Amino acid sequence: MEITTQIIWLFILAIPIACISWTVTHEEIFKEPREWCVNHSKNDRFLLSRKVFYLFTCEYCFSHYITILFLFLCEYKLLLNDWRGYVLAGFSLVFVANAYMSLFALLRQAIKKEKVEIEKIENETDSEKLSS
């Protein structure tokens, strides 16, 4: 595979990895299983058990396992055409996917801040109208 094609694959393949990792570790649809995992990651008796449950609560940790799944499904290698290509691809995909998730988190935070500011302005104008 040509290097430009590999780079395109890197940035495109990181999108579903980021989406899956973010959805499982942050979104409301997985809230109950995530809370169950958080409880077990904090309270289980065995260290290994706590670590296994923790991976479902951390987008960075979970993205490694989703990346391994995608590497297996797509047989994507980066730069080298042997097992080292899988290793390079794996860590590169995790890096790009986590960059995407960080950007998404910043975007969501900015949108939430704007909503709060708009709501505050609306409340101030409503109270001014009532006092007039």
Side-chain angles (χ1 to χ4, degrees), residues 71 76-78 82-93:
L71 287 174
Y76 172 65
K77 298 173 197 148
L78 185 62
D82 57 6
W83 65 270
R84 297 172 299 170
Y86 282 120
V87 173
L88 289 171
F91 287 110
S92 299
L93 283 167

Side-chain angles (χ1 to χ4, degrees), residues 42-104:
K42 291 180 179 177
N43 301 319
D44 269 12
R45 185 173 163 199
F46 300 105
L47 177 69
L48 181 62
S49 175
R50 288 194 307 268
K51 298 305 175 189
V52 167
F53 284 109
Y54 181 75
L55 85 89
F56 293 103
T57 65
C58 168
E59 73 270 3
Y60 177 75
C61 302
F62 194 61
S63 68
H64 284 79
Y65 295 96
I66 299 301
T67 298
I68 292 169
L69 175 70
F70 272 80
L71 287 174
F72 175 75
L73 291 174
C74 299
E75 298 180 5
Y76 172 65
K77 298 173 197 148
L78 185 62
L79 301 177
L80 303 169
N81 221 8
D82 57 6
W83 65 270
R84 297 172 299 170
Y86 282 120
V87 173
L88 289 171
F91 287 110
S92 299
L93 283 167
V94 167
F95 177 82
V96 174
N98 280 280
Y100 287 164
M101 287 187 282
S102 296
L103 291 172
F104 183 67

Side-chain angles (χ1 to χ4, degrees), residues 5 10 19 29-30 33 35 46 48-50 76 82 85 89 96-97 109 111 116 120 123 127 129 132:
T5 307
L10 173 66
C19 286
I29 193 164
F30 289 103
E35 288 174 349
F46 300 105
L48 181 62
S49 175
R50 288 194 307 268
Y76 172 65
D82 57 6
V96 174
Q109 186 179 31
I111 290 170
V116 168
K120 182 181 175 186
N123 289 339
S127 64
K129 286 180 184 178
S132 298

